[in-house]
C-alpha cells in the first residue's frame, strides 16, 4: 500500500501544478502525515531546482517516512532518484547516501556508495563523508573507524577535516572520548584544521561525562592556538558550564556579545532555562519576550521549557497564551508538556481553553498521532460535544 501511495503521488504531480522548493519547505515543516509529505515533495519541480536547494525538502520527507517506519517507500523514493541525469555528479549522489543515513538504512547507503562506478560518479572525501555520516546516523558506530581506515586507501583519496570530525563524533557517541581526544592530537600533528564543529563535539562529550576541568583545558588550549570559535561552541558551555546559575549563563552571553558572537535562540533558551530552574519565572519570561529584539525566534524547546515551568508555578492561563503563540510559529511542544497544561487548565476550571488546546492539536497532527490525546480527553471529561468550547 505505501509503495502504491508513492506511485499515486507521482501521477498527481505530473498533472498538478508544481510548487517552488521554498514553498515546499514551508509546507513540509508542518506536514507530519507521511503521505501528505510525499505529496508535497512530489509537487516540487525537480527540473527547475538544484539538488542543493531541494535537499532540505528531501530530508524532511525522508524524516516523516522514517518516523512512520515506511522504509520500503524510502527505498522507492531514493532509488527513483538514481534515474536523474545528475546522478553522475558526486554531490547529487551524496545527497542520496545522506538520505539513507537519515532513515537509519546504512546498508542501502553503503550499497549506493559501492554503485558509484556503475553510475559513473567519482569518489572523493565528499561522498566518503556522506557514507561516514550515514554510518553514524544509523548507529553503526563501531564500523566508522574501520571505514575510515579502509575506504580512502582503497579508492585513493585522503580524508579531509570533515572526515576526521565525523570519526571524532563516532568516538564521542560511542563513549570513547579518549579515542576522540587522541584523534584530535593526530589532526594537530598532521596539520589538519580542527573545525569548530569538531571541537564542539569533543567539548560536549567531555561535559556530558562530567570532565569539566578537561573540557575547560581544551577550550583554553584551542583559544590560545587561535582556532575559530562559534556560537555553537559557546552554547555547549552555556548548557553545561554555568552550573545552573543564571548569573553565570548571563555572563557567558555577555562574553559572546563582547567578542562579536551573536547569541542565537539556543543561547537564550539556556539562559531562560537557568532562570526557570532557579524559580525566576518572570526573568525567564523576560528572556522569551526579548527574543525578537535580539534577532531571534522561539523554537519548540523555547515553548516547551517556558510552558512546563509556568505550569509548575500554576500559571496555567498565561501558559495557554504561550501555547497559542507556539501554534503561530508552528513550534508546538510535545505531548507531555501540553498534557501538564491541559490538566492544569481543567484544575482551574478553564474547560474552554482545555478543549480549545486539544482541538488545535488535533488539527495540526494526523490521526495516527492522536491516540494519547483521545485518551486524555476522555479521562478529563473533555470529549463530550460542547459548541461553546471554541478556542479563546
Amino acid at each position: 500500500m505505501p509503495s502504491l501511495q508513492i506511485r499515486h503521488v507521482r501521477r498527481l504531480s505530473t498533472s498538478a501544478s508544481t510548487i517552488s522548493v521554498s514553498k515546499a519547505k514551508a509546507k513540509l515543516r508542518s506536514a507530519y502525515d507521511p503521505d501528505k509529505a510525499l505529496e508535497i515533495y512530489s509537487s516540487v519541480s525537480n527540473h527547475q531546482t538544484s539538488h542543493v536547494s531541494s535537499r532540505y525538502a528531501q530530508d524532511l520527507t525522508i524524516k516523516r517516512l522514517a518516523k512512520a517506519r515506511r522504509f520500503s517507500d524510502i527505498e522507492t523514493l531514493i532509488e527513483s532518484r538514481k534515474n536523474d541525469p545528475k546522478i553522475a555528479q558526486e554531490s547529487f549522489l551524496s545527497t542520496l547516501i545522506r538520505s539513507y543515513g537519515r532513515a537509519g538504512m546504512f546498508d542501502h547507503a553503503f550499497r549506493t556508495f559501492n554503485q558509484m562506478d556503475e553510475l559513473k560518479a567519482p569518489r572523493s572525501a565528499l561522498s566518503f563523508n556522506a557514507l561516514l555520516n550515514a554510518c553514524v546516523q544509523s548507529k553503526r558506530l563501531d564500523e566508522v573507524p574501520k571505514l575510515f581506515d579502509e575506504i580512502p586507501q582503497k579508492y585513493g583519496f585522503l580524508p579531509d577535516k570533515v572526515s576526521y570530525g565525523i570519526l571524532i563524533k563516532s568516538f564521542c557517541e560511542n563513549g570513547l572520548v579518549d579515542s576522540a581526544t587522541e584523534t584530535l592530537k593526530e589532526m594537530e600533528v598532521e596539520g589538519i584544521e580542527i573545525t569548530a564543529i569538531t571541537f564542539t563535539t569533543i567539548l560536549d562529550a567531555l561535559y556530558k561525562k562530567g570532565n569539566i576541568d578537561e573540557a575547560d583545558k581544551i577550550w583554553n588550549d584551542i583559544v590560545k592556538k587561535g582556532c575559530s570559535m562559534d556560537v555553537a561552541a559557546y552554547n555547549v558551555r552555556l548548557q553545561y558550564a554555568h552550573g545552573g546559575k543564571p548569573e553565570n549563563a548571563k555572563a557567558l552571553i555577555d562574553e559572546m556579545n563582547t567578542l562579536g558572537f551573536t547569541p542565537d535562540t539556543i543561547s537564550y533558551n539556556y539562559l531562560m532555562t537557568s532562570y526557570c530552574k532557579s524559580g525566576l519565572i518572570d526573568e525567564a519570561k523576560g528572556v522569551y519576550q526579548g527574543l525578537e529584539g535580539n534577532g531571534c525566534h522561539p523554537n519548540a524547546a523555547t515553548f516547551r521549557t517556558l510552558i512546563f515551568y509556568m505550569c509548575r508555578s500554576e500559571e496555567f492561563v498565561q501558559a495557554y497564551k504561550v501555547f497559542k503563540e507556539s501554534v503561530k510559529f508552528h513550534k508546538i511542544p510535545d505531548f507531555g508538556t501540553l498534557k501538564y497544561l491541559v490538566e492544569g487548565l481543567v484544575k482551574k476550571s478553564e474547560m474552554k481553553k482545555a478543549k480549545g488546546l486539544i482541538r488545535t492539536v488535533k488539527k495540526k497532527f494526523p490521526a495516527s498521532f492522536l491516540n494519547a490525546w483521545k485518551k486524555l480527553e476522555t479521562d478529563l471529561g473533555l470529549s463530550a460535544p460542547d459548541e461553546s468550547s471554541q478556542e479563546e
Side-chain angles (χ1 to χ4, degrees):
M1 179 67 179
S3 295
L4 287 174
Q5 174 64 24
I6 278 189
R7 291 197 292 272
H8 174 63
V9 170
R10 283 197 184 122
R11 287 198 300 271
L12 282 176
S13 67
T14 58
S15 58
S17 59
T18 59
I19 61 175
S20 67
V21 173
S22 58
K23 189 171 183 180
K25 290 177 186 177
K27 287 188 171 186
L28 282 165
R29 289 189 193 102
S30 56
Y32 295 94
D33 186 304
D35 290 331
K36 182 65 177 174
L38 269 174
E39 182 179 347
I40 294 167
Y41 178 71
S42 297
S43 298
V44 177
S45 175
N46 291 323
H47 300 292
Q48 299 174 4
T49 59
S50 70
H51 58 272
V52 175
S53 62
S54 63
R55 191 175 82 188
Y56 182 73
Q58 179 174 298
D59 287 346
L60 273 177
T61 305
I62 295 295
K63 181 179 178 181
R64 301 295 185 245
L65 290 170
K67 191 166 186 178
R69 303 189 67 78
R70 298 265 290 270
F71 299 113
S72 61
D73 280 353
I74 292 170
E75 182 177 12
T76 301
L77 190 156
I78 295 176
E79 292 301 311
S80 72
R81 302 287 283 152
K82 293 180 182 178
N83 296 319
D84 193 297
K86 295 189 290 290
I87 193 63
Q89 299 176 20
E90 185 182 14
S91 56
F92 178 85
L93 195 145
S94 296
T95 66
L96 306 187
I97 295 173
R98 286 191 194 94
S99 290
Y100 272 132
R102 285 185 176 276
M105 300 170 69
F106 176 68
D107 290 336
H108 290 70
F110 203 6
R111 183 184 67 195
T112 300
F113 182 82
N114 287 331
Q115 288 175 338
M116 292 181 72
D117 289 334
E118 176 188 340
L119 297 170
K120 302 188 184 327
R123 287 187 185 86
S124 72
L126 179 65
S127 52
F128 175 56
N129 293 341
L131 181 67
L132 290 182
N133 258 323
C135 198
V136 172
Q137 289 177 316
S138 300
K139 302 303 178 187
R140 305 268 283 265
L141 301 174
D142 291 334
E143 297 177 43
V144 175
K146 185 172 184 289
L147 290 172
F148 189 91
D149 289 338
E150 295 179 356
I151 296 292
Q153 185 175 1
K154 179 178 180 180
Y155 292 105
F157 60 82
L158 293 174
D160 62 9
K161 60 186 178 182
V162 177
S163 313
Y164 276 92
I166 300 169
L167 176 63
I168 284 174
K169 182 178 181 181
S170 74
F171 284 137
C172 289
E173 291 193 7
N174 214 11
L176 304 172
V177 184
D178 289 342
S179 296
T181 54
E182 284 301 315
T183 304
L184 195 69
K185 293 174 184 175
E186 180 184 334
M187 291 176 71
E188 290 186 83
V189 172
E190 297 291 333
I192 298 169
E193 179 188 350
I194 300 172
T195 66
I197 293 174
T198 298
F199 165 66
T200 302
T201 299
I202 289 185
L203 201 67
D204 181 66
L206 288 169
Y207 280 130
K208 280 180 179 175
K209 286 190 70 174
N211 298 342
I212 295 175
D213 290 341
E214 187 175 354
D216 288 343
K217 181 181 181 300
I218 288 179
W219 175 279
N220 292 330
D221 288 345
I222 293 293
V223 170
K224 287 177 184 176
K225 290 170 184 174
C227 295
S228 298
M229 296 296 174
D230 63 6
V231 174
Y234 267 96
N235 284 344
V236 169
R237 295 195 80 194
L238 276 166
Q239 183 179 6
Y240 298 108
H242 57 69
K245 296 179 180 179
E247 58 270 26
N248 292 345
K250 181 66 168 60
L252 274 173
I253 285 182
D254 289 343
E255 180 181 319
M256 290 172 70
N257 283 313
T258 299
L259 294 174
F261 296 108
T262 303
D264 60 12
T265 300
I266 296 171
S267 313
Y268 288 111
N269 280 352
Y270 287 136
L271 177 59
M272 188 181 72
T273 300
S274 67
Y275 279 132
C276 286
K277 289 183 175 180
S278 298
L280 302 171
I281 302 300
D282 288 340
E283 286 80 356
K285 291 180 196 173
V287 174
Y288 167 70
Q289 291 162 358
L291 282 175
E292 186 175 348
N294 286 311
C296 300
H297 296 290
N299 59 21
T302 310
F303 291 114
R304 180 176 65 246
T305 300
L306 191 57
I307 290 172
F308 175 79
Y309 281 99
M310 288 177 76
C311 287
R312 283 189 62 172
S313 297
E314 301 208 342
E315 297 183 26
F316 299 112
V317 174
Q318 294 91 332
Y320 177 70
K321 292 178 181 177
V322 176
F323 160 73
K324 291 179 73 175
E325 292 178 14
S326 78
V327 176
K328 293 177 185 176
F329 281 95
H330 302 290
K331 302 293 182 183
I332 298 175
D334 59 281
F335 171 76
T337 302
L338 294 183
K339 176 176 181 288
Y340 196 1
L341 175 54
V342 170
E343 290 171 342
L345 290 170
V346 171
K347 178 181 176 181
K348 294 293 184 180
S349 300
E350 295 283 353
M351 307 303 282
K352 288 184 180 179
K353 290 181 173 60
K355 290 182 178 182
L357 186 155
I358 292 177
R359 181 181 299 106
T360 299
V361 171
K362 283 183 174 180
K363 290 177 182 176
K364 295 293 179 180
F365 295 98
S368 59
F369 285 73
L370 299 181
N371 290 335
W373 278 112
K374 290 176 182 177
K375 182 178 185 304
L376 179 64
E377 199 174 22
T378 301
D379 292 346
L380 295 176
L382 299 173
S383 55
D386 184 353
E387 295 299 325
S388 65
S389 66
Q390 297 299 314
E391 185 181 359
E392 297 179 349

